[in-house]
Amino acid sequence: MSLTVHTEQRGDVVVVSVAGELDMATAPQLQDQITDLLDKGRSRLVFDLARVSFCDSTGLSVFVRAKNSCDEAGGVVRLAAPQRGVLRILEVSGLVEVLHTYPTVDQAVAGDPTPASS
């Protein structure tokens, strides 16, 4: 399965909508998009994961690298609306809180303190 990535500017936040399977074959595509955003000075990113059907450790590492890069630039990374399987991977890996995961895109954009529910 392929991966599609679309971006939308919402105030000072860029919503990065990801759809498909995020794995070793598709992660470089997302990484390239993140690098492009960072090169343009965009360091406040919300990843809309509502349409991500699968995410492996390669995909998780893309989000961790994005968080580290955004932190260095004074920005933030938030994950939004992960499907149950993806949320479970985030929980098991311990990344659900490190990566600030939210139930909806709107809550992630706003920085709502409500955590994602299992």
Side-chain angles (χ1 to χ4, degrees):
M1 181 176 213
S2 64
L3 187 76
T4 59
V5 181
H6 297 284
T7 61
E8 173 192 356
Q9 189 76 39
R10 289 202 198 175
D12 65 343
V13 174
V14 177
V15 176
V16 181
S17 298
V18 185
E21 295 183 358
L22 186 53
D23 57 22
M24 188 167 55
T26 60
Q29 178 184 346
L30 180 58
Q31 184 62 58
D32 289 346
Q33 185 72 43
I34 294 166
T35 300
D36 185 53
L37 289 167
L38 290 167
D39 287 347
K40 292 177 180 174
R42 306 288 194 262
S43 62
R44 297 180 54 77
L45 307 178
V46 167
F47 291 93
D48 178 357
L49 305 180
R51 295 178 50 211
V52 173
S53 57
F54 175 79
C55 181
D56 70 4
S57 61
T58 311
L60 293 179
S61 69
V62 169
F63 295 128
V64 171
R65 282 195 302 274
K67 180 192 183 321
N68 292 339
S69 296
C70 288
D71 285 353
E72 288 175 13
V76 66
V77 165
R78 298 180 184 126
L79 305 183
Q83 292 185 24
R84 182 177 303 260
V86 174
L87 180 59
R88 183 72 182 133
I89 291 166
L90 291 164
E91 289 171 339
V92 168
S93 67
L95 293 175
V96 72
E97 288 156 17
V98 172
L99 291 171
H100 305 290
T101 305
Y102 296 81
T104 69
V105 171
D106 289 341
Q107 287 172 312
V109 169
D112 187 322
T114 307
S117 58
S118 324

